[in-house]
Amino acid sequence: MGQGTEYGLVDLEEVDTPGDEWEEIDVSDTEADRIARKRDREFEQFEKRIKDADQFKVEQSVFDDATFAALYKLVQDGYVEAFGGPLSTGKEANVYHALGDDREVAVKVYRINASNFRQMRDYLEGDPRFEGLGGKKKDVVLAWTKKELANLDRARKAGVRVPEPIAAERNVLVMEYIGNEEGRARRLGEVHIENPETAYEVMREYMRRLYSAGIVHGDLSEYNVVFDEGQLVIIDVGQAVTVHHPNSRDFLERDCENVANFFSRQGLDADPDELLEFVTSPEPDPSRG
């Protein structure tokens, strides 16, 4: 796909093609939980500084002690050196701009009392990585955080441009910051696309690479793709499921409909059924049989 080079399509020869094996994801207590229970003087001082910071004041009611401990542990480990302002706020998570060891990073903090808790369970149930997961909100949110870390890693190995995953601690995820000194990268629906044909080709190829790697995004649209320095970058992959998830086909069909409809509005002849066929071909469809 020579056309894709305009949008920075990753060369498949430079990446691994993963199989369908999945690592077990542990949702037991982390070091952050132990720090929160211990509550030594250094942690208490750190927690007070964060609570007094303007960008976190609004979150005091939803950040529990273990969330502050997770931030503390990530600072101790050198993944975060200084916190900036919020990049985005949502019902399930807030994302903050921060300074890492040698670069800018994004820090995503999932809310333990997420308002869409039941929807999160729908994406987790049926995923072989989370068999036996309990019904506690904390366990679900911690699993979701580690799931996004694993999905980002899997997508990158498949040659899909996503934020680089850096570290996760409890309900906090540190990843590559996508943006510049002017702010976060704009979502696809927020920018004028000069060459929609090429952008659509890149999106089609990325969806096929994800599918070949055994995962379906599950919430793909112009709101979960950003445009950064000539590249399309897929974001928010926490809900992505394996092709063995009982609803993976429905999720994939919805993704294809969303993407095709968006590019149809850009003047292209984009058909959801044709996109679905492209994404699931030429390799055998792993969600069938």
Side-chain angles (χ1 to χ4, degrees), residues 25-274:
I25 297 181
D26 183 13
V27 296
S28 59
D29 279 3
T30 69
E31 181 64 22
D33 293 285
R34 291 185 282 273
I35 291 173
R37 287 193 294 267
K38 185 179 179 182
R39 297 192 60 83
D40 61 20
R41 179 178 299 178
E42 287 187 3
F43 167 60
E44 290 180 347
Q45 290 175 343
F46 172 85
E47 184 177 28
K48 185 178 185 304
R49 287 198 304 273
I50 293 295
K51 285 184 175 181
D52 288 343
D54 289 339
Q55 67 267 37
F56 287 103
K57 282 183 178 178
V58 69
E59 304 301 336
Q60 290 190 36
S61 62
V62 294
F63 281 15
D64 60 7
D65 287 343
T67 298
F68 287 113
L71 295 170
Y72 176 69
K73 181 68 166 56
L74 289 165
V75 171
Q76 278 191 323
D77 291 345
Y79 294 114
V80 179
E81 292 187 354
F83 290 98
L87 295 171
S88 65
T89 58
K91 293 181 179 180
E92 67 182 29
N94 286 5
V95 183
Y96 298 92
H97 189 203
L99 179 64
D101 183 26
D102 58 354
R103 58 176 167 170
E104 295 173 283
V105 297
V107 179
K108 190 170 190 176
V109 182
Y110 279 102
R111 303 167 186 265
I112 295 299
N113 294 316
S115 60
N116 57 351
F117 167 77
R118 293 184 183 278
Q119 183 180 3
M120 295 172 81
R121 279 206 60 87
D122 291 341
Y123 284 98
L124 289 171
E125 290 178 348
D127 190 320
R129 295 172 292 179
F130 302 98
E131 292 181 359
L133 181 67
K136 293 181 180 179
K137 284 187 176 182
K138 187 199 82 167
D139 290 344
V140 171
V141 175
L142 266 58
W144 191 272
T145 307
K146 291 190 175 182
K147 180 170 179 267
E148 180 157 20
L149 183 76
N151 287 341
L152 287 170
D153 184 61
R154 182 57 59 102
R156 282 176 59 85
K157 289 179 178 177
V160 177
R161 181 71 173 94
V162 295
E164 177 189 352
I166 297 173
E169 182 65 46
R170 201 174 181 270
N171 57 317
V172 181
L173 172 65
V174 181
M175 56 189 164
E176 175 189 2
Y177 169 68
I178 307 296
N180 53 38
E181 62 278 359
E182 297 179 359
R184 66 167 177 83
R186 297 300 176 187
R187 301 179 191 275
L188 201 57
E190 299 174 331
V191 300
H192 171 69
I193 305 176
E194 294 184 358
N195 191 338
E197 293 88 355
T198 301
Y200 185 47
E201 288 299 308
V202 173
M203 282 298 303
R204 280 162 40 101
E205 180 64 18
Y206 277 172
M207 292 176 70
R208 180 155 72 172
R209 291 182 184 185
L210 285 174
Y211 189 75
S212 296
I215 55 177
V216 173
H217 188 282
D219 192 29
L220 193 59
S221 72
E222 66 269 26
Y223 302 107
N224 285 329
V225 181
V226 299
F227 188 74
D228 179 58
E229 296 184 351
Q231 292 186 333
L232 296 181
V233 185
I234 294 179
I235 61 172
D236 292 336
V237 300
Q239 75 290 319
V241 300
T242 75
V243 293
H244 300 297
H245 190 285
N247 296 324
S248 66
R249 185 75 180 190
D250 292 337
F251 293 156
L252 179 60
E253 291 176 354
R254 185 176 64 191
D255 284 353
C256 289
E257 184 173 351
N258 288 340
V259 171
N261 287 345
F262 171 75
F263 282 100
S264 292
R265 294 195 296 272
Q266 309 305 308
L268 300 187
D269 182 18
D271 180 75
D273 293 333
E274 292 179 358

